[in-house]
Amino acid sequence: MSLVNRRVLLVITGGIAAYKTLDLIRRLREQGAAVRAILTEAATQFVTPLAVQTLTGEKVYRDIFALTDESEMGHLRLAQEADIVVVAPATADMLAKMAVGIADDLASTALLATDKMILVAPAMNHRMWLNEATQANVARLTMRGIKCVGPNTGSLAEGETGPGRMAEPLEILSAIELLVADGPLKGRRALVTSGPTHEAIDPVRFLANRSSGKQGHAIASALAHAGAETVLISGPTAEPDPLGVRVHHVESARDMLKACEAALPVEIAVCAAAVADWRVEPAPQKIKKNGGLPVLRLEENPDILATLSRPGNLRPRLVIGFAAETENLIAHARKKREAKGCDWIVANDVSPAMSTFGSDNNTVHLIDANGVEDWPPQSKREVAASLTRRIVDFFAA
Ligand code: PMT
């Protein structure tokens, strides 16, 4: 994705990971972005202003009280003349300042003064990262809409291991692209369902299935990377919310349907969730063992894919379902496409031998009105990227 005409204000704070930020600058410029940098006093202990100036090709800003800096480029202008403000590395100290709104140097003042999108790439010792105070600060920033990439888990500067390594320059670049680049689906809205649903039996038990949400989440992320304004309706999963995607967490099929209907209108809908076909009327109290064997009376859940596919004003232009089968994959998937009325259906074999549920890989077949395309075995991310390319082609045609 191109970052031509995009302006990045990079705030470099004082951590050893600052050396990686030099590589980030190089990569941003390769993509066409203009980069201005603010260095905190502590950052200058790790990277020199000259190195940053050479790589950005711009004056480096450091001191809020430097009269020349203020006359040439005040902190308000610095903060405003950017499409995105990126803090990399973001120390625990800077995250804390941002959380409470302290503005005691040029970097924190610019961060308080901006109304642009902010992305932070935390980097610190793992105990500092896991400290309740830091976690609370990050939660507060996230609630405010500030985006966070990383930190990764691995060996840290002090020879210890844990979460706290700054995300790699390519990961930060990808997050920046996601937030500000123009993708081929820019201006289009997409809805994705993912993960299982849980259908309560009583207050402590539920019916569920083996979906991990990996495939659906990867698709939401790929669509967002392609520029679509993406809403993900996710059942209970351990997958993190994809960056740049609005996520609604739901439990049951009926909640998922409600959330999908509330997200309309969209032009693209991808139903990758393994929605429970049946539910039971939940018992108000925990069912006791001494009452004899309980009988579960199943009722049919609403079909979300079929509902979205129904003709009408709110029908997305492209509705894509998935078919999870353990036998006669193609024949069953074809029937499902017709019965539910979606445009395309992505068939995958979920028999235990294939370990599709929960794994990182998937072998799929794309079925539309014209026939079947067999795709090679791929990672779920690659399946998501291939499907997104097909969606882009559909809208380009
Ligand atoms: O989550 P992972 O571990 O990564 O695994 C990925 C996956 C196997 C779950 C995914 O690739 C997949 O196949 N998702 C669809 C699972 C499913 O429920 O398939 P189905 O054949 O039972 O349903 C057909 C379609 O109808 C699906 O698009 C499903 O979302 C939809 N459906 C089903 C029932 C229902 N009540 N409402 C629905 O919308």
Side-chain angles (χ1 to χ4, degrees):
M1 262 189 281
S2 161
L3 289 173
V4 174
N5 295 331
R6 291 292 180 270
R7 296 160 309 172
V8 178
L9 176 63
L10 192 58
V11 176
I12 307 177
T13 69
I16 182 64
Y19 79 91
K20 290 204 245 174
T21 307
L22 299 180
D23 188 34
L24 173 64
I25 297 172
R26 189 177 61 80
R27 291 178 187 279
L28 282 166
R29 297 211 57 206
E30 275 171 8
Q31 295 305 313
V35 184
R36 275 188 186 138
I38 297 178
L39 261 70
T40 62
E41 203 44 46
T44 62
Q45 303 292 319
F46 297 93
V47 287
T48 67
L50 183 60
V52 176
Q53 184 164 316
T54 307
L55 286 167
T56 57
E58 295 250 5
K59 178 179 165 54
V60 170
Y61 299 88
R62 291 167 58 190
D63 185 359
I64 197 165
F65 297 116
L67 284 178
T68 50
D69 284 5
E70 273 297 298
S71 57
E72 287 165 20
M73 175 65 62
H75 61 273
L76 292 177
R77 249 183 81 197
L78 255 183
Q80 285 314 109
E81 287 186 4
D83 296 301
I84 186 167
V85 184
V86 180
V87 190
T91 57
D93 177 61
M94 184 53 85
L95 294 173
K97 279 186 187 172
M98 289 170 71
V100 292
I102 290 176
D104 63 355
D105 61 4
L106 180 59
S108 51
T109 306
L111 282 161
L112 194 63
T114 192
D115 59 2
K116 305 293 174 180
M117 203 167 340
I118 300 178
L119 173 72
V120 295
M124 64 198 75
N125 171 274
H126 66 292
R127 275 185 283 275
M128 290 169 79
W129 171 251
L130 294 173
N131 189 294
E132 232 176 83
T134 304
Q135 289 299 308
N137 289 335
V138 172
R140 209 159 162 182
L141 295 174
T142 314
M143 287 263 294
R144 261 189 242 149
I146 290 175
K147 311 289 181 203
C148 185
V149 55
N152 294 341
T153 297
S155 55
L156 302 169
E158 308 78 11
E160 296 180 297
T161 301
R165 276 172 72 94
M166 187 172 85
E168 294 304 317
L170 274 178
E171 292 175 87
I172 303 175
L173 177 71
S174 160
I176 295 170
E177 286 174 339
L178 179 63
L179 296 170
V180 297
D182 278 346
L185 293 177
K186 193 162 176 82
R188 303 202 185 275
R189 283 168 54 85
L191 162 70
V192 180
T193 68
S194 181
T197 61
H198 286 181
E199 310 296 328
I201 295 172
D202 66 19
V204 297
R205 305 179 179 96
F206 54 82
L207 297 174
N209 60 65
R210 297 179 193 278
S211 169
S212 63
K214 284 184 179 176
Q215 186 63 84
H217 279 54
I219 292 168
S221 177
L223 287 170
H225 267 96
E229 186 187 329
T230 307
V231 180
L232 172 65
I233 316 291
S234 173
T237 80
E239 285 296 292
D241 291 353
L243 199 69
V245 171
R246 196 147 45 88
V247 187
H248 293 286
H249 296 274
V250 297
E251 288 265 332
S252 69
R254 285 186 295 177
D255 295 343
M256 189 173 270
L257 174 63
K258 243 188 249 161
C260 286
E261 286 176 330
L264 297 176
V266 297
E267 283 160 289
I268 306 154
V270 184
C271 292
V275 185
D277 288 310
W278 303 285
R279 66 175 186 276
V280 296
E281 189 54 47
Q285 305 300 336
K286 185 179 172 192
I287 301 170
K288 304 309 276 179
K289 265 173 88 176
N290 55 12
L293 279 182
V295 176
L296 299 182
R297 222 185 106 73
L298 299 178
E299 288 176 59
E300 198 162 327
N301 263 329
D303 194 303
I304 299 165
L305 176 61
T307 307
L308 293 174
S309 301
R310 239 176 252 146
N313 286 347
L314 286 178
R315 188 195 193 277
R317 271 178 66 193
L318 181 61
V319 183
I320 306 171
F322 268 72
E325 305 293 342
T326 56
E327 52 170 350
N328 299 327
L329 176 61
I330 302 298
H332 283 162
R334 273 192 155 127
K335 266 193 210 145
K336 248 176 210 173
R337 190 184 80 81
E338 277 162 29
K340 302 201 184 209
C342 57
D343 302 297
W344 304 348
I345 203 152
V346 181
N348 48 195
D349 186 336
V350 291
S351 47
M354 297 297 291
S355 18
T356 302
F357 280 124
S359 81
D360 290 329
N361 302 309
N362 203 355
T363 304
V364 306
H365 311 264
L366 181 68
I367 302 176
D368 65 9
N370 300 318
V372 184
E373 245 178 55
D374 300 320
W375 290 5
Q378 299 181 93
S379 71
K380 284 180 178 169
R381 278 166 186 266
E382 287 165 343
V383 168
S386 305
L387 188 63
T388 300
R389 274 195 295 277
R390 295 302 304 265
I391 294 171
V392 169
D393 292 347
F394 172 87
F395 282 99

